[in-house]
Amino acid sequence: MPHLVIFGRKPIGEKMKFILFTLVGIIQLFSLSSEKSIPKNAVSYKTLKEMKDEIAGYEDVAESLINLAVYGKAKNRSYERLAVFVDTVGPRLSGSKNLDKAIEIMYKNLQQNGLENVHLEPVKVPHWERGEESAVMLVPRLYKMAILGLGSSIGTPPEGITAEVLVVASFDELQRRSTDAKGKIVVYNQPFVSYAITVQYRIHGAVEAAKVGALASLIRSVASFSVYSPHTGNQEYQEDVPKIPTACITLEDAEMLGRLASHGKTIVIQLKMGAKTYPDTVSFNTVAEITGNKYPEQVVLVSGHLDSWDIGHGALDDGSGAFISWEALSLVKDLGLRPKRTLRLVLWTAEEQGGIGALQYYRLHKGNISNYSLVMESDAGIFLPTGLQFSGSERARDIMKEIMGLLKHLNVTKVFTGGDGTDINFWIQAGVPGASLSNDAQKYFTFHHTHGDTITVLNPKEMNVAAAVWSVVAYVVADLEDMLPRT
């Protein structure tokens, strides 16, 4: 394999290496796209009793994977690998040189690890940069606020936007007070209910404020706890609505502005944002495999995303998920195991911009959808696992419960609902069973998309357990005689 070339940047190596790499990539993609699908009427599933007996036969293999990950020579390996990676590369925003460097490093790491079919699949991704940004309250007192612009936000004019503030606690309140919003900066001081519900203010806050004539929007960070830490994230504009600058502020400042407004105080803020959007650039999904020894065309996909936001180090979101996914294949390889079907590792690009890398992968591989037994994604940080979240048929869920029983010595045996994830939802919605790791979500969202997302948040012992869970589930599903049933 020639040296890696990053498309859209200066080539690494000579021109001939660039050409060779391109040809190799095309050949690999052609090979992947030519996989044969399984006829639906060719599948014959065992009874649950037969499946229980078959899964019970994996107790020794499961114990070997657990012992290697938690107590053996691989102890702390995923944590140590990740620490070197994030300390060396730092944050990895879509379209950035840091993300290019990260992909290059991981490509080499996976090759050096001895994994098979290591290759890159190109994806066109957004390129946005936040630039310099500030928010200063001028009235009723001079006070500099901590802010983080939201992904894809436009910038302000160079002199900034200076305007009176309207504080609202919900979209409904904004509509009731729509006549008061024109020409103002709308501040959302919405209470935290859950991430799924409250994140709608981050995603749609700018559009809703623009509809009623606001000049900009500032949104209370989506978290239940804060140590004066703003949280960034993506937001979405609407084609028929004017674009206005938008950023997140801390819980503390949102509540302060809410109190001032409740006492009838006039609030004036000067907002300056240097955000810019550049033309799309080319990035890559990073892929590696352990090829199956009996049904190599069938796939169990294990994944995490390699990109991150441009603040913090992206260790929690989602370096940890990417690295335990790599570790799952490393553990299987270390034991000399080769499952019946292929274990495929995918490290997604541009997840933070809405799963752009994953969508491209789905479009490229969906013709082989009947060959996918399970798609797995870890993207909720790595703390001590509480179980596995699973989406699939009841028969498949019964099988997963038996597999999780192999982890009884780790006390991680529960199977919850909701195995979805941004990068695997395309497959789940099309009927493929999906799984994600269940963690302490509250702790996760304390650090999510903040400057605090560093390796310090993670615990090597917890990563060991997570890697053990991930490897056992991936290997056993990949080695069962039958694919997971979809009905």
Side-chain angles (χ1 to χ4, degrees):
M1 174 65 69
H3 293 302
L4 173 65
V5 175
I6 298 293
F7 289 75
R9 304 287 182 198
K10 292 183 179 179
I12 300 173
E14 297 89 355
K15 185 176 181 181
M16 183 56 68
K17 293 178 180 178
F18 179 92
I19 295 171
L20 286 172
F21 178 83
T22 304
L23 288 173
V24 170
I26 292 171
I27 291 169
Q28 287 171 324
L29 291 181
F30 178 80
S31 174
L32 287 168
S33 64
S34 63
E35 295 169 357
K36 294 181 179 179
S37 298
I38 303 171
K40 291 181 180 178
N41 59 7
V43 180
S44 177
Y45 292 111
K46 297 178 180 179
T47 66
L48 182 58
K49 168 92 168 47
E50 290 172 329
M51 290 303 303
K52 287 182 177 181
D53 292 342
E54 182 181 3
I55 292 166
Y58 286 96
E59 285 189 2
D60 289 345
V61 172
E63 281 301 299
S64 295
L65 288 166
I66 291 168
N67 287 335
L68 179 61
V70 179
Y71 311 110
K73 68 176 184 179
K75 179 182 177 181
N76 298 346
R77 182 170 63 186
S78 59
Y79 177 91
E80 291 165 359
R81 283 172 167 175
L82 177 60
V84 171
F85 176 77
V86 297
D87 289 345
T88 301
V89 179
R92 305 168 299 280
L93 185 63
S94 171
S96 69
K97 291 181 180 179
N98 274 21
L99 180 56
D100 286 351
K101 182 179 179 181
I103 293 169
E104 179 179 358
I105 288 172
M106 287 307 303
Y107 176 84
K108 292 177 180 177
N109 284 345
L110 298 175
Q111 282 192 316
Q112 290 169 1
N113 193 203
L115 297 177
E116 300 157 358
N117 300 330
V118 179
H119 65 278
L120 305 178
E121 299 183 4
V123 184
K124 185 169 283 190
V125 301
H127 180 192
W128 172 86
E129 296 180 6
R130 74 174 57 254
E132 296 295 323
E133 54 191 14
S134 65
V136 180
M137 184 172 71
L138 304 176
V139 177
R141 64 183 172 94
L142 191 63
Y143 172 67
K144 185 175 181 179
M145 303 165 61
I147 68 165
L148 284 174
L150 294 177
S152 78
S153 176
I154 64 169
T156 65
E159 68 276 13
I161 294 173
T162 301
E164 192 174 329
V165 165
L166 172 68
V167 182
V168 297
S170 67
F171 289 136
D172 288 341
E173 183 180 357
L174 177 64
Q175 291 304 311
R176 291 196 304 271
R177 303 179 64 187
S178 59
T179 56
D180 298 331
K182 188 173 183 180
K184 294 181 181 177
I185 296 173
V186 168
V187 170
Y188 292 95
N189 183 30
Q190 77 286 347
F192 183 85
V193 179
S194 70
Y195 184 77
I197 293 173
T198 312
V199 76
Q200 300 307 314
Y201 287 89
R202 191 193 77 203
I203 295 171
H204 303 297
V207 166
E208 295 305 315
K211 286 178 180 178
V212 293
L215 301 179
S217 65
L218 296 174
I219 296 143
R220 172 174 167 156
S221 290
V222 184
S224 60
F225 177 79
S226 173
V227 185
Y228 201 68
S229 49
H231 297 234
T232 191
N234 210 32
Q235 64 89 35
E236 297 174 0
Y237 287 126
Q238 194 172 305
E239 285 187 9
D240 57 345
V241 178
K243 295 180 180 180
I244 61 174
T246 183
C248 271
I249 58 176
T250 67
L251 274 64
E252 294 90 338
D253 283 346
E255 291 184 351
M256 175 193 69
L257 295 172
R259 289 191 299 271
L260 288 170
S262 70
H263 292 299
K265 301 289 186 181
T266 297
I267 307 167
V268 177
I269 287 177
Q270 181 187 62
L271 177 66
K272 290 185 178 181
M273 294 175 60
K276 291 183 180 179
T277 297
Y278 297 90
D280 289 353
T281 186
V282 176
S283 184
F284 301 90
N285 290 321
T286 308
V287 184
E289 295 177 342
I290 295 176
T291 308
N293 64 16
K294 187 173 182 179
Y295 309 115
E297 74 283 359
Q298 297 176 21
V299 176
V300 169
L301 185 148
V302 186
S303 70
H305 67 86
L306 206 57
D307 67 301
S308 74
W309 284 103
D310 56 333
I311 43 98
H313 295 165
L316 187 68
D317 183 18
D318 181 37
S320 58
F323 273 65
I324 68 152
S325 295
W326 172 21
E327 183 69 9
L329 270 68
S330 287
L331 292 167
V332 170
K333 181 180 179 299
D334 286 349
L335 291 178
L337 300 171
R338 186 175 291 275
K340 293 182 179 69
R341 53 189 59 81
T342 295
L343 274 176
R344 180 175 296 165
L345 168 69
V346 183
L347 305 178
W348 311 107
T349 192
E351 184 275 344
E352 296 293 2
Q353 285 64 43
I356 292 172
L359 177 59
Q360 172 63 15
Y361 179 89
Y362 178 72
R363 287 171 173 168
L364 182 65
H365 297 273
K366 66 180 179 180
N368 307 311
I369 194 167
S370 61
N371 282 331
Y372 280 71
S373 183
L374 178 67
V375 289
M376 302 167 61
E377 178 178 21
S378 175
D379 186 20
I382 300 300
F383 301 105
L384 191 64
T386 56
L388 192 76
Q389 293 171 269
F390 180 75
S391 294
S393 68
E394 284 305 311
R395 285 176 32 182
R397 180 177 299 278
D398 288 339
I399 292 169
M400 296 306 293
K401 288 178 180 177
E402 293 300 315
I403 293 172
M404 291 302 289
L406 298 171
L407 296 157
K408 56 184 177 294
H409 293 159
L410 293 177
N411 196 29
V412 186
T413 60
K414 294 181 180 179
V415 178
F416 303 100
T417 57
D420 55 322
T422 298
D423 296 307
I424 59 174
N425 278 347
F426 305 107
W427 299 90
I428 293 172
Q429 289 165 6
V432 178
S436 57
L437 202 60
S438 178
N439 279 305
D440 182 351
Q442 184 172 355
K443 189 174 180 182
Y444 173 66
F445 287 115
T446 298
F447 301 98
H448 180 248
H449 295 181
T450 72
H451 288 286
D453 183 353
T454 68
I455 194 71
T456 304
V457 176
L458 297 166
N459 181 316
K461 293 180 180 179
E462 294 176 344
M463 286 192 70
N464 295 338
V465 175
V469 172
W470 220 222
S471 65
V472 168
V473 171
Y475 176 78
V476 174
V477 174
D479 199 58
L480 291 174
E481 186 59 35
D482 293 337
M483 293 175 63
L484 291 179
R486 300 189 184 180
T487 57

